[in-house]
Amino acid sequence: MFATVMGVAAEPDRPDTPGSVEEYVSVPMPPGFRVEATELEGPVFADASGRTLYTWPSHKLRNGYSGETQGNPACYDEVRTVTAGLMSPYPPGILLPELDSRPSCTDLWPPVLAADDAQDIGKWTVVDRKDGTRQWTYDEQPLYISVLDNQPGDVIGGTTRRYGGDSPANRVPVGPPPRIPPGFAVKTTTVGRLLTTDKNYSVYAYDQDTPDTSMCHADCARTWVPVTAPAMAHAQGEWSIIERSPGVRQWAFRRQPLYTNVLDPRSWSLEGSDVPGWSNVYTQRAPSIPESFTVQDTLVGQVLADSRGMTIYTYVCGDDSVDQLSCEHPNDTQVYRLAMCGGGDPGKCLKSWPYVLADIGTLSNSRAWSVINIDPKTGHHAAAEQAAAFSVWAYRDRPVYTYGGDQQPGDVNGAGTGEWRAQRNGLKAFWLRDDYMGGTL
Amino acid sequence: MIAANREQTMKNRSPAILTGIALLASFAAQADGGNPMVPREGAIGYVMTDLFWAVYQTPDAKQECPNGFNPGPREQFEVLFPDSEKRTVVDTQLKQEIETWHPTADPDSFPFYEAEGPLSYGLNLDGKTGPNDFTHPDGEQGIDNEVYRAVACIIGFRGPVGVEYIFQNKAIADRRYNRTMIELTGVDDLTNDDNVTVTLYRGLDRLLTDATGMKVMSGGSQRVDMRWGAKLIRQTKGKIVDSVLTTEPIAEVVIPWMNLNVPTFQIIRDMRLQLKLTPTGAEGLIAGYADVDTWYRQLIRNDSTHHLSNGQISGISLYKALRRLADAYPDPETGANTAISTALDVKLTQVFIVHPSGEAAVAELIAHQTAD
């Protein structure tokens, strides 16, 4: 029931210890593939060069499906020229922008090809592509790499963070299962890999507990319900079991007994962490935010903000082609972003949605956060020596912004600006904690 | 202090127990001396369950919309781009989205049908009777409700099947973010009282419903949201005449109103309440002047062009109408009005409001209550 083979083991840590790395279950892999640790997504599969592997799961959109069904590659080298009409009210067949430089699906997502003598192993199988090549799949989903990833551990191409139903059919990194007992799950969030129940409710640790003893009994245990372990369960790695009372066994992670909070009003809620002494549990924390950034309370929860306390936003974009290509990275066409931030006028964009500028010489202490050079007239990357280039903060290699309509710290007046509530072509606030939206924005 | 003790006690009970207590309490109402119109300790709380823009409708709409209903984004797109397959995304879809997200008060390229006829729901906000004012169906003159004039001939704003009417109203009950509460204190009698204190809070909890989950029941409990919603607290005075509460205006009220997962709100200036009170609920109007840009962005941030299309709501045309009809708070530089008179139909259900406990929390609560 609880896998006996484990991957790279980190030193067992307290739940809140920075630098903890998520353990995973080792699974059979074909030769040449490996597992890479990442800052944001936990362990992921990678090719021989360490490049993260992605799948493109089928995703139901308003007027049909996009992505790939199991065993059926749909990403090829054909350059799409017209919209697919997958999102109403706009009809299909409209010419896509910048066709002279538009990439094909495989230009951005090269398939992970299999040798002629490749053999299936475990969940890894080989499928035939219509161009005559053979492609690796995992759990029957065809595998790709992203041209945005530059070094082992990069996950710039996509994320497993929860997204709404009107988002594009996104590519998602794929990896081995986390090493957790049945009844638990791990969710990717902006602040780390959150440990939850398999019903998506947060689990908590109590700072009065010891590794062997729960200090939460009687009335306390009516609000903070111990996560019980079945009689057959046994301790392994970072997971242990305490006996609360004869026959009542409770899971502990990194030597902290675990609980759920009956007053959490819904799945994904983190509200229990407002109670002194109680904290959420992460298998690994996201990298620290840049030193100059701040955290602000809003009507909804906590948001990342710049040094002045002004909310930080990310731009999200996927086009309405069959390929659902990204339009949110500086390498991508900028016509969608410029339309939304400034009505097509780069100058207006700089006033309405200014980049978060980085001081000269600023270095990031993580790979999730970086400082990049942007040509403010085009929105594309600029050479370091280019005159009038902006040095801006980027998250996952995409610039971040503030909003001219926010007047004071805690304002999130720009959240949801854009098509489909900013799920397809718009700007989302950088939520560190939301108590009302279930992690979808 | 009593509230604090009550809160501490309730914190230690499971939701099931709390529900049971609430149900028992609802039977007992919260009355003193057996008279349900006399609230125990002079206080009664209500939680909002329904909210939408007040629209006077005749059965066939012929009276208020003799020219029919306005076209929406889908209809406008077909007129503007009959040959869309020969055009680019930039020239069509993005052009329309740009006009939606960067709206102007420039003249509309489509005719826009405003409400006609003399009747509208609402209140006389400025105490005057002018040529642009409506008459309430009950005969009251001087009704200020220009939002009605703008939205009455848009299908999506008309009940009971308009897309905005359905979804925005439903969200009030479904989403905790929208959990606006009203507490009356200093109440001698819900029938007549010339001086009561009215406080607005946001609640933290789900609504108490019947077994179907559809009908909100009185007697539930709601904790005051001091974690994220303290800045929403407002306080004013009011009087009750023949069980109708009328409040003095509050300079500015922020009503959290999330429809489809975007944390939006409305700003209502000079906001006042007119509510018919009972021991189990309240019903009536919220009226005042809505900030135009906030009004518009609350709509389009929550609802994509797809959703707007389902209600034949052209954001592009509607914004121009709102700006054209705005009737208050002129911009000191341009002179253009920035706010528009409005009224919202509101329903509330009685609820036990659980105040924060602890000296610091109580002090913070009092500070917010007295800030306005």
Side-chain angles (χ1 to χ4, degrees):
Chain A
M1 57 183 286
F2 191 9
T4 56
V5 182
M6 56 180 280
V8 178
E11 183 68 21
D13 284 313
R14 309 292 282 192
D16 286 335
T17 301
S20 299
V21 175
E22 182 176 311
E23 291 187 346
Y24 60 91
V25 178
S26 287
V27 297
M29 287 190 292
F33 293 99
R34 66 199 211 202
V35 174
E36 283 287 338
T38 70
E39 289 179 335
L40 299 174
E41 304 288 338
V44 300
F45 292 131
D47 68 6
S49 302
R51 291 173 298 187
T52 298
L53 307 188
Y54 297 84
T55 60
W56 187 26
S58 180
H59 184 57
K60 184 181 179 184
L61 296 168
R62 290 284 168 169
N63 294 329
Y65 288 82
S66 184
E68 294 175 332
T69 56
Q70 289 182 320
N72 293 298
C75 180
Y76 287 97
D77 60 0
E78 177 187 357
V79 177
R80 308 286 183 177
T81 59
V82 296
T83 60
L86 290 168
M87 304 301 292
S88 72
Y90 302 112
I94 303 174
L95 293 170
L96 290 161
E98 299 181 350
L99 285 176
D100 55 340
S101 57
R102 181 178 172 80
S104 70
C105 182
T106 53
D107 284 339
L108 302 182
W109 298 98
V112 180
L113 298 179
D116 290 342
D117 60 351
Q119 299 291 315
D120 295 353
I121 179 171
K123 289 187 174 184
W124 296 71
T125 55
V126 176
V127 294
D128 294 328
R129 291 172 59 81
K130 68 180 184 183
D131 59 9
T133 58
R134 306 176 77 215
Q135 184 175 8
W136 279 111
T137 74
Y138 182 74
D139 209 8
E140 298 189 53
Q141 290 291 150
L143 294 171
Y144 301 86
I145 58 172
S146 169
V147 296
L148 297 178
D149 291 342
N150 294 312
Q151 56 181 318
D154 274 356
V155 279
I156 298 170
T159 174
T160 55
R161 277 180 61 194
R162 190 181 187 195
Y163 58 91
D166 292 320
S167 298
N170 288 321
R171 278 75 176 178
V172 294
V174 59
R179 189 166 184 265
I180 52 177
F184 290 92
V186 179
K187 310 294 184 194
T188 301
T189 73
T190 54
V191 294
R193 296 268 291 168
L194 177 70
L195 189 63
T196 70
T197 70
D198 58 2
K199 300 289 190 290
N200 299 327
Y201 279 85
S202 300
V203 298
Y204 295 89
Y206 186 34
D207 67 4
Q208 299 300 305
D209 286 350
T210 68
D212 299 320
T213 309
S214 166
M215 302 303 288
C216 181
H217 295 279
D219 284 350
C220 173
R222 292 192 182 95
T223 299
W224 302 94
V225 178
V227 183
T228 54
M232 297 294 288
H234 57 90
Q236 251 189 62
E238 297 179 313
W239 291 84
S240 56
I241 297 169
I242 68 167
E243 189 157 1
R244 294 179 55 85
S245 56
V248 180
R249 311 170 81 220
Q250 180 178 5
W251 280 114
F253 177 67
R254 293 178 184 161
R255 299 184 287 179
Q256 288 267 303
L258 300 177
Y259 307 81
T260 56
N261 175 24
V262 297
L263 293 178
D264 273 359
R266 60 180 288 178
S267 59
W268 291 84
S269 172
L270 307 178
E271 292 185 28
S273 63
D274 284 337
V275 180
W278 294 88
S279 58
N280 289 105
V281 180
Y282 296 85
T283 58
Q284 67 177 61
R285 288 281 190 172
S288 302
I289 59 176
E291 281 185 8
S292 60
F293 286 14
T294 61
V295 177
Q296 300 293 329
D297 282 359
T298 74
L299 285 177
V300 198
Q302 288 180 318
V303 74
L304 186 62
D306 70 4
S307 60
R308 303 165 300 149
M310 306 309 289
T311 295
I312 284 174
Y313 297 86
T314 57
Y315 174 67
V316 177
C317 188
D319 70 19
D320 185 29
S321 70
V322 169
D323 294 332
Q324 300 278 287
L325 295 188
S326 162
C327 33
E328 65 189 27
H329 188 274
N331 291 354
D332 301 329
T333 176
Q334 297 292 300
V335 299
Y336 296 94
R337 187 185 66 84
L338 292 172
M340 207 47 62
C341 63
D345 180 345
K348 287 183 180 176
C349 284
L350 295 176
K351 290 182 179 176
S352 297
W353 293 93
Y355 294 103
V356 179
L357 301 178
D359 292 335
I360 295 173
T362 300
L363 295 175
S364 172
N365 58 5
S366 73
R367 287 158 62 179
W369 288 97
S370 58
V371 177
I372 63 176
N373 292 310
I374 289 289
D375 180 338
K377 292 183 178 176
T378 66
H380 293 302
H381 284 298
E385 66 278 8
Q386 180 176 326
F390 284 6
S391 183
V392 306
W393 278 107
Y395 179 69
R396 296 178 57 243
D397 209 30
R398 295 149 174 89
V400 294
Y401 308 85
T402 55
Y403 176 50
D406 286 341
Q407 296 174 348
Q408 57 189 344
D411 281 354
V412 282
N413 299 334
T417 292
E419 294 185 73
W420 291 95
R421 307 187 300 283
Q423 294 181 94
R424 296 191 69 88
N425 172 22
L427 293 115
K428 297 181 177 182
F430 197 113
W431 297 109
L432 301 174
R433 168 179 165 180
D434 85 71
D435 278 7
Y436 295 96
M437 299 176 296
T440 56
L441 288 181
Chain B
M1 197 60 193
I2 291 170
N5 289 338
R6 182 189 306 158
E7 195 268 348
Q8 188 61 45
T9 304
M10 297 183 89
K11 266 181 66 176
N12 297 328
R13 292 176 176 154
S14 71
I17 295 171
L18 288 175
T19 301
I21 292 171
L23 285 169
L24 289 172
S26 70
F27 289 122
Q30 52 180 45
D32 268 343
N35 181 353
M37 299 304 282
V38 179
R40 183 174 300 162
E41 299 170 14
I44 186 167
Y46 299 98
V47 63
M48 189 184 291
T49 61
D50 296 80
L51 184 72
F52 198 65
W53 310 103
V55 174
Y56 174 78
Q57 296 181 205
T58 56
D60 57 5
K62 290 283 176 56
Q63 182 178 323
E64 66 275 23
C65 303
N67 298 309
F69 296 117
N70 285 294
R74 194 172 275 123
E75 293 78 15
Q76 292 187 347
F77 189 93
E78 289 174 355
V79 170
L80 292 169
F81 311 112
D83 55 350
S84 63
E85 70 280 0
K86 297 176 182 174
R87 298 171 183 255
T88 69
V89 165
V90 177
D91 296 335
T92 56
Q93 174 178 336
L94 290 181
K95 181 176 184 298
Q96 293 305 94
E97 292 294 334
I98 285 172
E99 288 200 46
T100 302
W101 289 96
H102 301 273
T104 72
D106 296 343
D108 201 342
S109 57
F110 290 89
F112 186 86
Y113 306 132
E114 299 173 359
E116 297 188 14
L119 300 179
S120 171
Y121 300 118
L123 300 180
N124 185 346
L125 299 174
D126 57 9
K128 303 173 185 173
T129 299
N132 293 327
D133 289 352
F134 291 101
T135 299
H136 195 281
D138 70 6
E140 183 183 353
Q141 305 285 305
I143 300 299
D144 300 299
N145 192 348
E146 293 301 303
V147 166
Y148 165 70
R149 198 183 302 280
V151 305
C153 300
I154 299 174
I155 289 174
F157 286 89
R158 296 173 64 91
V161 295
V163 63
E164 294 303 313
Y165 181 91
I166 292 172
F167 285 109
Q168 296 234 33
N169 217 341
K170 186 173 185 297
I172 291 294
D174 288 350
R175 307 304 301 263
R176 291 184 310 119
Y177 174 85
N178 302 333
R179 193 67 70 236
T180 297
M181 304 191 295
I182 296 170
E183 185 175 47
L184 277 57
T185 52
V187 182
D188 300 324
D189 192 314
L190 285 176
T191 308
N192 289 290
D193 191 326
D194 61 2
N195 184 17
V196 299
T197 299
V198 181
T199 309
L200 276 62
Y201 303 107
R202 183 163 77 172
L204 276 174
D205 298 300
R206 287 170 292 188
L207 296 174
L208 176 68
T209 63
D210 67 3
T212 69
M214 303 298 290
K215 179 177 171 52
V216 179
M217 307 291 288
S218 62
S221 63
Q222 283 286 329
R223 294 167 292 161
V224 172
D225 174 16
M226 298 298 290
R227 179 68 178 90
W228 313 113
K231 66 174 71 170
L232 300 172
I233 296 173
R234 298 288 188 278
Q235 195 166 72
T236 188
K237 288 288 186 180
K239 61 182 178 182
I240 303 171
V241 178
D242 295 335
S243 293
V244 175
L245 168 74
T246 303
T247 70
E248 296 173 6
I250 302 176
E252 182 178 291
V253 169
V254 175
I255 301 176
W257 204 349
M258 172 193 289
N259 178 17
L260 292 171
N261 259 351
V262 180
T264 51
F265 52 86
Q266 288 289 347
I267 295 175
I268 309 292
R269 296 178 179 142
D270 298 337
M271 196 281 295
R272 71 284 312 265
L273 302 168
Q274 187 181 80
L275 300 173
K276 176 76 172 177
L277 306 175
T278 74
T280 59
E283 182 173 355
L285 292 175
I286 293 175
Y289 296 97
D291 180 82
V292 169
D293 284 333
T294 305
W295 193 103
Y296 178 72
R297 286 185 61 82
Q298 190 268 341
L299 174 70
I300 63 169
R301 287 165 71 199
N302 274 298
D303 286 358
S304 69
T305 306
H306 158 83
H307 298 95
L308 298 178
S309 297
N310 289 345
Q312 287 188 209
I313 304 166
S314 165
I316 301 166
S317 296
L318 178 53
Y319 182 80
K320 296 176 189 300
L322 293 168
R323 289 291 302 274
R324 187 168 61 242
L325 298 170
D327 54 350
Y329 288 91
D331 183 292
E333 291 184 8
T334 67
N337 287 318
T338 64
I340 183 168
S341 56
T342 190
L344 296 116
D345 295 322
V346 61
K347 293 181 183 176
L348 306 102
T349 296
Q350 181 270 327
V351 69
F352 292 100
I353 295 177
V354 181
H355 295 87
S357 60
E359 288 184 15
V362 170
E364 185 185 3
L365 177 66
I366 292 171
H368 283 287
Q369 286 171 333
T370 55
D372 188 59

